[in-house]
Amino acid sequence: MRHVVVEVLVLTFLVVLDMSYAFAPIVSYQWVVSYSQRSILGGNKQIIVINDMFPGPILNATANDIIIVNIFNNLNEPFLMTWNGLQLRKNSWQDGVRGTNCPILPGTNWTYSFQVKDQIGSYFYFPSLLLQKAAGGYGSIRINTPELVPVPFPTPDSEYDILVGDWFYADHTD
């Protein structure tokens, strides 16, 4: 009898743990990754854009949200996206690093689905293959605090994302 009670308690705990994922709000994005000719810093260069934007669109979510990003790869090379600094709840294999994810082959898509932990702040995403980060394909991530959790400072009037990196005039494939 004691064995059955322990099993029921363990199963109840696992169901409640899994329900935290089931009731979380979902934030969904559709991204198309492609090349674009842009005149940047006085030179005309082929860069990687997301939805024809450079830098890419802001990924905006609240702590504990489920984020779904469906990425269509219109490049002529494999592509992977990594979510720098984000701690993924229950599925770290969605981190977009070769070895835990297979590259998104040209002309195909992959849907990343993960839940962010209780970590508010600013982060960024970028391509993690073939030095593609040097050609663009990156952008900002904002993880906001849930409304039920007070923060010890007033809400800012506005937010600005600053992405700093190296810029190369040579093609990233060179």
Side-chain angles (χ1 to χ4, degrees), residues 141-158:
I141 302 172
R142 293 181 187 165
I143 305 298
N144 305 299
T145 184
E147 288 184 20
L148 300 175
V149 179
V151 291
F153 49 83
T155 303
D157 293 332
S158 59

mmCIF file of all heavy atoms in Angstrom, residues 141-158:
data_model
loop_
_atom_site.group_PDB
_atom_site.id
_atom_site.type_symbol
_atom_site.label_atom_id
_atom_site.label_comp_id
_atom_site.label_asym_id
_atom_site.label_seq_id
_atom_site.Cartn_x
_atom_site.Cartn_y
_atom_site.Cartn_z
ATOM 1 N N ILE A 141 16.729 40.159 -27.952
ATOM 2 C CA ILE A 141 15.704 39.421 -27.214
ATOM 3 C C ILE A 141 15.405 40.232 -25.960
ATOM 4 O O ILE A 141 16.324 40.631 -25.242
ATOM 5 C CB ILE A 141 16.189 38.019 -26.806
ATOM 6 C CG1 ILE A 141 16.597 37.196 -28.031
ATOM 7 C CG2 ILE A 141 15.114 37.289 -25.999
ATOM 8 C CD1 ILE A 141 17.263 35.872 -27.676
ATOM 9 N N ARG A 142 14.131 40.460 -25.692
ATOM 10 C CA ARG A 142 13.707 41.124 -24.457
ATOM 11 C C ARG A 142 12.822 40.162 -23.671
ATOM 12 O O ARG A 142 11.783 39.730 -24.170
ATOM 13 C CB ARG A 142 12.911 42.388 -24.747
ATOM 14 C CG ARG A 142 13.696 43.491 -25.371
ATOM 15 C CD ARG A 142 12.800 44.695 -25.588
ATOM 16 N NE ARG A 142 13.494 45.724 -26.347
ATOM 17 C CZ ARG A 142 12.877 46.738 -26.920
ATOM 18 N NH1 ARG A 142 11.568 46.867 -26.787
ATOM 19 N NH2 ARG A 142 13.565 47.638 -27.587
ATOM 20 N N ILE A 143 13.246 39.848 -22.458
ATOM 21 C CA ILE A 143 12.428 39.037 -21.572
ATOM 22 C C ILE A 143 11.932 39.954 -20.460
ATOM 23 O O ILE A 143 12.716 40.457 -19.659
ATOM 24 C CB ILE A 143 13.210 37.834 -20.994
ATOM 25 C CG1 ILE A 143 13.817 36.993 -22.123
ATOM 26 C CG2 ILE A 143 12.307 36.994 -20.103
ATOM 27 C CD1 ILE A 143 12.808 36.364 -23.069
ATOM 28 N N ASN A 144 10.628 40.189 -20.437
ATOM 29 C CA ASN A 144 10.007 41.110 -19.500
ATOM 30 C C ASN A 144 9.570 40.394 -18.229
ATOM 31 O O ASN A 144 9.368 39.181 -18.224
ATOM 32 C CB ASN A 144 8.798 41.771 -20.166
ATOM 33 C CG ASN A 144 9.183 42.448 -21.465
ATOM 34 O OD1 ASN A 144 9.994 43.352 -21.478
ATOM 35 N ND2 ASN A 144 8.619 41.983 -22.565
ATOM 36 N N THR A 145 9.379 41.149 -17.176
ATOM 37 C CA THR A 145 8.918 40.582 -15.918
ATOM 38 C C THR A 145 7.408 40.336 -15.988
ATOM 39 O O THR A 145 6.686 41.125 -16.602
ATOM 40 C CB THR A 145 9.261 41.512 -14.732
ATOM 41 O OG1 THR A 145 8.875 40.881 -13.532
ATOM 42 C CG2 THR A 145 8.552 42.842 -14.829
ATOM 43 N N PRO A 146 6.925 39.253 -15.394
ATOM 44 C CA PRO A 146 5.468 39.051 -15.338
ATOM 45 C C PRO A 146 4.817 40.174 -14.525
ATOM 46 O O PRO A 146 5.433 40.739 -13.621
ATOM 47 C CB PRO A 146 5.313 37.703 -14.620
ATOM 48 C CG PRO A 146 6.636 37.043 -14.732
ATOM 49 C CD PRO A 146 7.653 38.130 -14.825
ATOM 50 N N GLU A 147 3.564 40.503 -14.831
ATOM 51 C CA GLU A 147 2.881 41.599 -14.136
ATOM 52 C C GLU A 147 2.746 41.341 -12.641
ATOM 53 O O GLU A 147 2.683 42.270 -11.851
ATOM 54 C CB GLU A 147 1.503 41.815 -14.754
ATOM 55 C CG GLU A 147 1.571 42.443 -16.129
ATOM 56 C CD GLU A 147 0.195 42.749 -16.686
ATOM 57 O OE1 GLU A 147 -0.771 42.834 -15.908
ATOM 58 O OE2 GLU A 147 0.097 42.895 -17.904
ATOM 59 N N LEU A 148 2.697 40.085 -12.240
ATOM 60 C CA LEU A 148 2.515 39.761 -10.825
ATOM 61 C C LEU A 148 3.781 39.929 -10.004
ATOM 62 O O LEU A 148 3.736 39.894 -8.778
ATOM 63 C CB LEU A 148 2.009 38.319 -10.685
ATOM 64 C CG LEU A 148 0.668 38.028 -11.359
ATOM 65 C CD1 LEU A 148 0.339 36.551 -11.270
ATOM 66 C CD2 LEU A 148 -0.433 38.857 -10.730
ATOM 67 N N VAL A 149 4.916 40.094 -10.670
ATOM 68 C CA VAL A 149 6.186 40.211 -9.963
ATOM 69 C C VAL A 149 6.632 41.671 -9.977
ATOM 70 O O VAL A 149 6.953 42.222 -11.030
ATOM 71 C CB VAL A 149 7.271 39.325 -10.623
ATOM 72 C CG1 VAL A 149 8.597 39.467 -9.908
ATOM 73 C CG2 VAL A 149 6.811 37.879 -10.670
ATOM 74 N N PRO A 150 6.647 42.330 -8.808
ATOM 75 C CA PRO A 150 7.064 43.731 -8.785
ATOM 76 C C PRO A 150 8.577 43.857 -8.992
ATOM 77 O O PRO A 150 9.341 43.008 -8.571
ATOM 78 C CB PRO A 150 6.666 44.197 -7.380
ATOM 79 C CG PRO A 150 6.644 42.947 -6.568
ATOM 80 C CD PRO A 150 6.268 41.821 -7.501
ATOM 81 N N VAL A 151 8.966 44.921 -9.665
ATOM 82 C CA VAL A 151 10.391 45.207 -9.833
ATOM 83 C C VAL A 151 10.729 46.425 -8.983
ATOM 84 O O VAL A 151 9.877 47.286 -8.763
ATOM 85 C CB VAL A 151 10.762 45.446 -11.313
ATOM 86 C CG1 VAL A 151 10.652 44.176 -12.118
ATOM 87 C CG2 VAL A 151 9.928 46.526 -11.926
ATOM 88 N N PRO A 152 11.964 46.522 -8.500
ATOM 89 C CA PRO A 152 12.317 47.586 -7.553
ATOM 90 C C PRO A 152 12.665 48.928 -8.199
ATOM 91 O O PRO A 152 13.384 49.726 -7.622
ATOM 92 C CB PRO A 152 13.537 46.999 -6.833
ATOM 93 C CG PRO A 152 14.168 46.133 -7.856
ATOM 94 C CD PRO A 152 13.029 45.543 -8.642
ATOM 95 N N PHE A 153 12.176 49.177 -9.396
ATOM 96 C CA PHE A 153 12.465 50.433 -10.067
ATOM 97 C C PHE A 153 11.283 50.799 -10.955
ATOM 98 O O PHE A 153 10.490 49.930 -11.320
ATOM 99 C CB PHE A 153 13.757 50.345 -10.889
ATOM 100 C CG PHE A 153 13.829 49.143 -11.775
ATOM 101 C CD1 PHE A 153 13.221 49.132 -13.024
ATOM 102 C CD2 PHE A 153 14.508 48.003 -11.359
ATOM 103 C CE1 PHE A 153 13.277 48.013 -13.840
ATOM 104 C CE2 PHE A 153 14.570 46.881 -12.173
ATOM 105 C CZ PHE A 153 13.945 46.897 -13.414
ATOM 106 N N PRO A 154 11.134 52.061 -11.302
ATOM 107 C CA PRO A 154 10.002 52.458 -12.157
ATOM 108 C C PRO A 154 10.166 51.925 -13.582
ATOM 109 O O PRO A 154 11.276 51.672 -14.041
ATOM 110 C CB PRO A 154 10.048 53.988 -12.136
ATOM 111 C CG PRO A 154 11.423 54.337 -11.699
ATOM 112 C CD PRO A 154 11.947 53.193 -10.884
ATOM 113 N N THR A 155 9.040 51.768 -14.251
ATOM 114 C CA THR A 155 9.053 51.325 -15.643
ATOM 115 C C THR A 155 9.728 52.391 -16.505
ATOM 116 O O THR A 155 9.392 53.575 -16.402
ATOM 117 C CB THR A 155 7.614 51.103 -16.137
ATOM 118 O OG1 THR A 155 6.972 50.163 -15.271
ATOM 119 C CG2 THR A 155 7.590 50.581 -17.565
ATOM 120 N N PRO A 156 10.682 51.998 -17.359
ATOM 121 C CA PRO A 156 11.355 52.999 -18.198
ATOM 122 C C PRO A 156 10.398 53.610 -19.219
ATOM 123 O O PRO A 156 9.414 52.990 -19.611
ATOM 124 C CB PRO A 156 12.461 52.197 -18.891
ATOM 125 C CG PRO A 156 12.181 50.777 -18.639
ATOM 126 C CD PRO A 156 11.197 50.660 -17.533
ATOM 127 N N ASP A 157 10.692 54.831 -19.629
ATOM 128 C CA ASP A 157 9.870 55.509 -20.628
ATOM 129 C C ASP A 157 9.950 54.812 -21.978
ATOM 130 O O ASP A 157 8.978 54.766 -22.731
ATOM 131 C CB ASP A 157 10.307 56.963 -20.787
ATOM 132 C CG ASP A 157 10.020 57.779 -19.530
ATOM 133 O OD1 ASP A 157 9.061 57.432 -18.798
ATOM 134 O OD2 ASP A 157 10.755 58.743 -19.279
ATOM 135 N N SER A 158 11.126 54.274 -22.308
ATOM 136 C CA SER A 158 11.311 53.561 -23.566
ATOM 137 C C SER A 158 12.523 52.652 -23.435
ATOM 138 O O SER A 158 13.292 52.754 -22.488
ATOM 139 C CB SER A 158 11.480 54.532 -24.732
ATOM 140 O OG SER A 158 12.582 55.363 -24.515
#
